[in-house]
Each structure stands twice: as C-alpha cells, then as structure tokens.
Amino acid sequence: MNIRKLAWKNLLRRKSRAVFTGLGIFLGIATFVAISSITSQMEGAVQDQLDRFGANIVVSPRAEQLSLGFGNIALGGTEVAHSRLAMADRERIASIHHKDRIRSIVPFLMTAADASGKTLVWMGLPGTDVATARPWWKIQGGGGLKRGEVLLGAEAAALLDKGPGGTVTAGNRLYRVAGVLHSTGEKEDGMVIADIADVQALAKKPGAVTYFEVAALCKDCPVEDIVAQIGQALPGARVSAIRQVVESRKAAVDHLRRLGFGVSAIVLLIGGLMVLVTVMGGVQERTREIGVLRAVGFRKRSIFSLLFWETGWVSLLSSLLGAGTGIAVAYLVSPAFGIEHPSVVFAPAIFGAAAGLSLGLIGAIPPARRAAALSPTEAIRSL
C-alpha cells in the first residue's frame, strides 16, 4: 500500500488524536504570529508618532566666534555670521535628494520688540505650522494663529496681564491675543508668538529667517545623509542634527523591537515544546502498532516515511490554520494597541508556518527512531 495513503487513512481513523496533536501546533503558531504581527506594527506606529513629535535637524547661519579686547583687557566675544537665511531657502531644503524623508520645514524668526510697553522676545513662525512644529503645546483659548494675532507664553501673559481675546500693541499695530500657552518650562513661556510675516514686518526684516527646524522621518534614520544634502543645498548654513532627539527615537524603537523579539521567541519556544510533547506522545502510543507493521514486513525506512507523512500532514494543516488565525486576530485587535492603520504582516505568518511544520517533523524523529528499532518479536509479545 502507498505510504502516503496509509498515513492519511491513519489520520482519518484517529481523528481525535490528530486534532489533539494539531491543537498544540495551532495554538503555538497562532499566538506567535499574532504577537509578532502586533509588535511589528506597534514598532511602526511608535516610529510614526515619534516622527510627528518635533524636529530633529536645525539649520542656522554659519557663524564664527570672535574674542574682543583692548590691550590686556578682555571685552568678551561676539558671533559673526557669514551668511543669512531667507524664506527662499525653504525651497532649497525641500529640493534635496532625500526630500521624501522630510516631514516638515518650519522657518523661525526671533527678535526683541515692544509688546504693550514691555520688551519681550517675539517668535515668528507660519501660523499654519504651529501644530506641526509644536504638537505638545496646550493653548488656552484655541489653537489657531492667523495674521494679526498672537499667542502669549504663560509668563508673558502674566507680565502683560493679558488673556485670550485681549489685545497687544506693537509697532503702532494692534494684535489680538488668540490664546495663552500652558506653561512648558521652556523659553517660549516668556515669548510672544506670532505669524512670521508679522514678526518680519515688526523687525523690519522682510523675508528674514533666524533658523529652520527640519523634521526628518527617522525610520531607518538617514539623518546624516539628510544633513549632508542640506549642507550642500545651503553652503553658508550650519546644519546640525539634534543628536539627542535622534538617538532617543532610535533607542525607543530598538527597545520595542527587542521586546517584541523576546516575547515572540518565548511564545515560539513554548509552542515548540507543545508540539514536541504532543507529537512524541502520539507516536509513543503507537509503538506497538508500529512494531506489528515491522513484523509483517515494513522496513525501518517505511516506518519513518509513515510517521513523517502523518506528522507532516497534521503539522502543515495546523500551522497554516494557526498562521491564518494569528493574522486575523492581530488585524482585529491592532486598534486596541494604538495602531491607527492595521495591516496584514505576512512575514511572521510565513515564518510561523515553516516553524510549525519543522517542529512537528523534528518532534517525530526520536519516537520514530525508537519505534523503527523495535523488535517485531517484542512488539507482538506486548500485545
């Protein structure tokens, strides 16, 4: 009789045992695929959220520090800029080779100016870019910033005694207070924030920019390449990657990747042990039957083939079913783990199906060898 047909008939004859054996493979592979898929998507989601959280490259004019003195008297130092930045430089930055890896380019202009009789620092940036450049700001009174409006830092609002809906005068012009920032503990607490066009007009520096903040997508993190390309586009500028930000983002993603790998490895190990135990138990119970087959003329090679076909069918079907179930479970529960756009990740499923089949076949080796080596006389005596 054909070994494959005999193996299939044996499975049909022992449906309960085949289901029990396959259940261990199914649960192990389904759990592995689900956890691996979720952690893989969480890694991407965390990376995307980190990329949305502020800039990681600063572009400023290249400057040189000069020490001043008169005779032996030191008068301190000053910084001499070799060039100036302008709004047109934004287009140059956006034209680099890695432009598809740039999420935002936000120009800033800083100047000291009068605000209702108090000299304060004004920060200018495009009103439409406030949410992109400072996503962590909490603004009392609203989040929008239009021309003719200002946002006040918490300390600036207290100093001017102004709140949302109030007005601030500067340069013979009246600005409406659109909102007040909650305290951030940073320098912007004491600043007046306005649209960059208004600040340029107030400082009488049309088109001027103090620095650009560039938010580069840090997945695979080609920050060094982006910095070099911006430097080539703006030869007179100093382009600096905010190393701490880049490293902290990479560290956060690496921690999550290691966590996912560790959990997946433990689950796969447990699933593998379940497979080994169930397969070994199933073959052990059939030692007498295998001995009888040896007594009626089955060779050792035929016994091996019979067991491998049986275990292979059970392992393959259970692994495929477990991989499919793992993908479905991961897709359905992904929103509960903060994954906004769930997707189907095939790599863990392919690996899990291959691992389940391999573990099933490996688990059949020791008992198959023992059964094949069983003496027919001893097997018949044991009946």
Side-chain angles (χ1 to χ4, degrees), residues 325-349:
T325 303
I327 289 177
V329 170
Y331 186 84
L332 293 175
V333 304
S334 289
F337 291 89
I339 300 170
E340 298 178 358
H341 305 291
S343 60
V344 177
V345 183
F346 288 104

Side-chain angles (χ1 to χ4, degrees), residues 25-26 28-29 32 268 271-272 275 279 311-312 314-316 318-320 349-363:
I25 302 175
F26 168 77
I29 299 305
F32 167 77
L268 188 60
V275 170
V279 173
T311 310
V314 173
S315 301
L316 179 62
S318 302
S319 299
L320 293 177
I350 295 173
F351 180 79
L357 178 60
S358 301
L359 290 172
L361 295 176
I362 292 173

Side-chain angles (χ1 to χ4, degrees), residues 86-87 107-109 111 124 195-209:
M87 292 295 288
F108 286 81
L109 177 62
T111 188
D195 188 275
I196 191 169
D198 288 337
V199 179
Q200 289 169 344
L202 185 64
K204 298 180 180 178
K205 296 179 179 177
V209 173

Side-chain angles (χ1 to χ4, degrees), residues 144-330:
L145 180 62
K146 302 176 182 176
R147 293 287 304 271
E149 296 181 341
V150 296
L151 299 174
L152 298 178
E155 296 176 4
L159 181 64
L160 299 175
D161 192 22
K162 302 289 185 180
T167 57
V168 173
T169 57
N172 298 322
R173 186 176 174 184
L174 197 65
Y175 295 88
R176 190 182 77 86
V177 179
V180 176
L181 304 185
H182 291 203
S183 179
T184 63
E186 300 292 339
K187 293 181 179 179
E188 56 252 33
D189 283 349
M191 294 182 180
V192 180
I193 298 98
D195 188 275
I196 191 169
D198 288 337
V199 179
Q200 289 169 344
L202 185 64
K204 298 180 180 178
K205 296 179 179 177
V209 173
T210 303
Y211 62 90
F212 288 97
E213 286 188 357
V214 180
L217 300 175
C218 221
K219 199 168 186 178
D220 302 328
C221 236
V223 171
E224 299 297 340
D225 293 340
I226 295 175
V227 167
Q229 291 172 17
I230 295 176
Q232 292 175 358
L234 301 174
R238 179 174 58 191
V239 185
S240 306
I242 305 177
R243 181 60 55 189
Q244 184 177 1
V245 174
V246 175
E247 294 298 333
S248 62
R249 293 180 183 182
K250 292 178 65 177
V253 175
D254 288 343
H255 287 322
L256 184 59
R257 183 182 294 119
R258 283 196 290 270
L259 175 62
F261 179 78
V263 173
S264 299
I266 292 173
V267 171
L268 188 60
L269 178 61
I270 295 174
L273 292 175
M274 292 173 64
V275 170
L276 289 173
V277 171
T278 52
V279 173
M280 289 182 68
V283 175
Q284 186 71 26
E285 289 182 359
R286 298 177 56 198
T287 300
R288 296 179 179 177
E289 176 188 339
I290 294 170
V292 172
L293 292 176
R294 289 277 291 123
V296 298
F298 272 67
R299 297 180 178 179
K300 293 183 179 180
R301 186 176 180 180
S302 300
I303 299 297
F304 260 99
S305 298
L306 176 65
L307 292 175
F308 267 70
W309 274 109
E310 289 185 17
T311 310
W313 280 120
V314 173
S315 301
L316 179 62
L317 295 176
S318 302
S319 299
L320 293 177
L321 187 59
T325 303
I327 289 177
V329 170

